[in-house]
Amino acid sequence: MSVKRALCIGINYKGTEYELNGCINDTADWSSLLSCAGFDVAVMAEKAATKRNMICGIETIVTSLKAGDVGF
């Protein structure tokens, strides 16, 4: 049986000169959509989405996938 795993990352950079709007909402929407499609979804947002944590999260998904599995 194949496995479906996803990592959704959202950062609005609130309070910085690079502040964005909607990234957290997009992350929630993608997470919901992927969950409905049968994915096991991990969400990383704002301060938890450090470079180190993002790389670690991606590596975790990639190394856990086997032939026939799906990663997003």
Side-chain angles (χ1 to χ4, degrees):
M1 179 171 20
S2 66
V3 171
K4 297 178 180 179
R5 291 199 171 95
L7 174 61
C8 296
I9 301 170
I11 310 168
N12 281 339
Y13 302 100
K14 191 169 178 123
T16 72
E17 64 181 296
Y18 307 107
E19 188 167 339
L20 300 169
N21 294 309
C23 298
I24 301 302
N25 293 337
D26 292 344
T27 299
D29 290 344
W30 274 108
S31 175
S32 178
L33 178 71
L34 290 165
S35 290
C36 288
F39 280 79
D40 176 21
V41 181
V43 175
M44 193 178 301
E46 296 298 353
K47 291 184 180 183
T50 63
K51 179 180 177 181
R52 179 182 177 104
N53 287 346
M54 288 188 284
I55 290 171
C56 197
I58 293 166
E59 285 178 346
T60 298
I61 287 178
V62 170
T63 59
S64 72
L65 297 174
K66 298 184 179 22
D69 291 349
V70 180
F72 181 91

